[in-house]
Amino acid sequence: MAWLSDGALASESSAGNIAVLYPEIGEPYRSIFVAILQGIEDQSRGHVINVPVVDGSALADLTADLHRKGVKAVIALGRAGLNLAAQLKGQWPVVMGCVLSLPEAHLGMGPALSLAPDPALLFARLKVLLPSVRRIWVVYDPRQNDWLIRLAGEAARSLGLELVAREAQDLRAAVRQYREVFQQADPRRDALWLPQDSSTVDEAVVLPMVLEESWGRGLAVFSSSMAHVRRGALFAMYPDNTGMGRQLVRMVQPYLSGEAPVASGMAPLRDLLLAVNTRTAHHLGLDLDARRLHVDMIFPEP
């Protein structure tokens, strides 16, 4: 079981009203959490108690320390943070973050900020890069991404796009759905979106097949994962980790000010960066300079 490390709490001089529970892990993930914590600190003006979660110590020690330090709300990051927050059993309101989806045991604990990019922002970037696109295809597992596809449908309609969502709950079904997509998609007006979905975007089988087939057909593929751009997807939007920290504080602020809190459930990430594959863009005949987009990461790397 993961608990609070000895000496993890901030000093008594800290005016912290927010406790942040985050996993104490090594690189490369440690840098991600450091950036998120920096965003939390910046947005909350320093009223934060950081609680690295490791093995050891006792839950009673943690709750006593948080009460003594006047904590009003908790931000729980990653699976370790969520698991520890669940042990607090409702003593503080909780906002969760740095997860793709919520395990059933954590449903109802409070609002959660997903690592999934907001589809509205993804689709808006798609329209800038490919104004001719009118239809977006996506294959997804409803057990993982039903909430996200609902948001995506609303976002597509608001942008004058059609979203064609195909369900698949295992690798075999996903491969079959992608084959049907490639049979029906028109590269002149369609694009394929790859969400973060372990059932339908398998890195070893599905991704190579999709990228090879789309390259041959001239079909644009965009993604919710920067790693896919490295391998050939046209573009992706990925987390601005410091911005994620700021968004988490905005979600927790109503608990501190007595306003109506954010509704429980998943919320997509809106603080995002843009990665583009210039080789794929050239293959699709796109002039990136003419689009005047701010690009944060370019592949292949110069």
Side-chain angles (χ1 to χ4, degrees):
M1 188 64 69
W3 303 118
L4 174 67
S5 65
D6 293 334
L9 293 181
S11 67
E12 291 292 343
S13 61
S14 173
N17 289 109
I18 304 171
V20 184
L21 316 181
Y22 68 98
E24 183 64 85
I25 53 178
E27 296 294 357
Y29 300 107
R30 183 178 185 278
S31 297
I32 295 173
F33 288 102
V34 168
I36 295 170
L37 291 170
Q38 185 60 59
I40 291 172
E41 292 274 358
D42 293 346
Q43 186 72 21
S44 61
R45 300 177 183 176
H47 300 295
V48 176
I49 298 170
N50 292 329
V51 182
V53 181
V54 295
D55 291 333
S57 199
L59 182 62
D61 295 341
L62 171 61
T63 55
D65 278 325
L66 296 187
H67 280 299
R68 178 165 50 85
K69 292 183 181 295
V71 166
K72 305 298 182 187
V74 169
I75 294 175
L77 301 178
R79 297 295 182 192
L82 267 63
N83 290 337
L84 182 52
Q87 301 303 312
L88 301 177
K89 298 188 183 302
Q91 295 184 66
W92 291 275
V94 176
V95 170
M96 296 165 282
C98 212
V99 291
L100 272 176
S101 59
L102 286 180
E104 187 173 343
H106 297 117
L107 294 175
M109 276 177 53
L113 179 60
S114 175
L115 288 168
D118 190 330
L121 300 181
L122 270 174
F123 297 170
R125 287 292 179 272
L126 176 67
K127 288 195 68 169
V128 172
L129 282 165
L130 291 166
S132 62
V133 167
R134 295 291 180 268
R135 184 168 57 179
I136 298 169
W137 298 81
V138 61
V139 181
Y140 76 104
D141 184 343
R143 297 169 300 183
Q144 298 183 40
N145 281 315
D146 191 55
W147 70 276
L148 186 66
I149 298 303
R150 287 198 301 270
L151 288 180
E154 297 169 4
R157 286 190 293 273
S158 70
L159 292 167
L161 299 168
E162 178 187 358
L163 181 71
V164 183
R166 298 289 192 88
E167 294 187 10
Q169 296 191 9
D170 57 41
L171 179 60
R172 181 178 303 220
V175 169
R176 182 173 63 251
Q177 292 286 16
Y178 281 116
R179 286 174 176 160
E180 292 183 7
V181 168
F182 285 120
Q183 289 173 0
Q184 298 179 44
D186 180 352
R188 296 169 298 182
R189 61 186 295 269
D190 290 357
L192 175 61
W193 169 33
L194 300 179
Q196 293 167 307
D197 193 308
S198 60
S199 297
T200 66
V201 193
D202 172 81
E203 300 282 333
V205 177
V206 169
L207 185 62
M209 179 198 74
V210 166
L211 293 177
E212 180 179 357
E213 191 73 19
S214 63
W215 182 274
R217 294 175 180 270
L219 179 69
V221 175
F222 65 104
S223 176
S224 297
S225 172
M226 181 179 66
H228 297 165
V229 181
R230 187 190 303 272
R231 295 179 63 174
L234 174 60
F235 79 93
M237 302 193 77
Y238 62 98
D240 175 342
N241 294 316
T242 304
M244 188 192 313
R246 292 192 292 265
Q247 188 172 344
L248 284 163
V249 174
R250 292 193 292 269
M251 292 172 68
V252 85
Q253 190 60 44
Y255 295 111
L256 306 178
S257 59
E259 303 169 20
V262 178
S264 293
M266 299 296 293
L269 190 61
R270 296 188 60 82
D271 288 278
L272 301 166
L273 302 174
L274 178 65
V276 173
N277 188 302
T278 54
R279 179 171 175 264
T280 302
H282 178 73
H283 178 71
L284 294 173
L286 302 183
D287 183 354
L288 292 176
D289 292 334
R291 301 300 191 268
R292 297 187 178 182
L293 281 174
H294 174 76
V295 178
D296 301 282
M297 187 72 70
I298 292 175
F299 296 101
E301 297 178 74

